[in-house]
Amino acid sequence: MIHPYEPQFAHKDWIDNQDRVQAGGANGINLRFHQLEQEFAALAHEQINPIIKELARPEQHLTLVPALTAYKTETGPQPSWDQFVDMVAKPAVRREAHGFMDVALPDGAVVKKLLVTGNVHSSGGKLAVTLWSRDITNEDEAKPLVTANVTGTPVDPTAEVTISNAANRYFLQVKVTEALESDVVQVFSVRFTYQ
């Protein structure tokens, strides 16, 4: 956190015909210049450099191949995806598919975009790939952080998403609903862009 700048150096004026400007001593020019050096060093270290570091943080990417696990709800088991080595696909005999996977993003990362790649040929099926957060104690409900409903188009979160691994756990839910049995829905990868 960057705190408001509070100057530490205050120049004490010399008085004409009273003060002798000298190099050393408690009121010497060397001491005053060293105090100025300390002021600039503190200003750089505590104020300017953190701002530059924050502005210069490059965007990074984490691309995941979905490795989805089936899950149950109050109504029973949800239809699962067909899992392949490098993708998942909606089974041809079902109208929907559900799955989730653990996601490990770096602590302090700010998620900027979510991109889903895949192959969707559906007459009305609804694809939803959502990053969720839930506190590690399970006291609060899980919260959706960002959802992509189409493939090939990056989606921005509607609010800032900062990863806090000390307080939360994160998982990805991938589901398609309302599809026809003949619809082709495949998810190849999920890419997070973060700083």
Side-chain angles (χ1 to χ4, degrees):
M1 175 184 231
I2 300 172
H3 300 286
Y5 173 59
E6 295 179 15
Q8 302 299 308
F9 175 79
H11 177 70
K12 180 182 170 191
D13 289 338
W14 281 298
I15 300 171
D16 288 336
N17 301 321
Q18 185 175 340
D19 289 321
R20 278 185 24 186
V21 177
Q22 54 189 23
N27 197 25
I29 196 164
N30 287 339
L31 177 64
R32 290 194 186 191
F33 274 110
H34 288 307
Q35 289 171 337
L36 278 174
E37 286 175 341
Q38 292 169 357
E39 179 78 14
F40 289 135
L43 181 61
H45 178 70
E46 297 169 12
Q47 301 288 314
I48 297 171
N49 291 345
I51 293 170
I52 292 171
K53 183 179 177 183
E54 193 63 31
L55 293 174
R57 283 177 76 178
E59 283 191 348
Q60 299 185 47
H61 303 286
L62 174 64
T63 303
L64 304 170
V65 173
L68 302 178
T69 302
Y71 59 89
K72 294 180 180 180
T73 64
E74 296 79 20
T75 60
Q78 298 299 303
S80 61
W81 291 85
D82 282 342
Q83 183 73 54
F84 295 89
V85 169
D86 62 350
M87 69 171 195
V88 294
K90 180 192 76 59
V93 297
R94 296 200 182 112
R95 297 191 65 201
E96 56 186 72
H98 302 259
F100 79 97
M101 66 181 279
D102 182 48
V103 174
L105 286 158
D107 199 42
V110 178
V111 177
K112 297 295 186 182
K113 295 190 182 306
L114 171 62
L115 172 69
V116 177
T117 63
N119 184 14
V120 179
H121 296 288
S122 178
S123 55
K126 297 178 181 175
L127 175 67
V129 179
T130 305
L131 175 65
W132 292 79
S133 164
R134 189 161 189 183
D135 67 285
I136 60 173
T137 62
N138 237 33
E139 291 179 9
D140 295 327
E141 293 294 319
K143 298 174 189 157
L145 302 176
V146 58
T147 298
N149 298 109
V150 296
T151 59
T153 303
V155 176
D156 299 334
T158 56
E160 185 172 292
V161 175
T162 302
I163 302 300
S164 173
N165 292 321
N168 299 305
R169 53 205 162 111
Y170 300 90
F171 60 95
L172 198 65
Q173 181 184 39
V174 182
K175 66 180 180 178
V176 62
T177 57
E178 301 178 25
L180 298 177
E181 290 180 359
S182 59
D183 287 347
V184 174
V185 181
Q186 301 168 321
V187 177
F188 304 149
S189 69
V190 176
R191 186 184 77 192
F192 295 97
T193 301
Y194 64 90
Q195 288 184 309

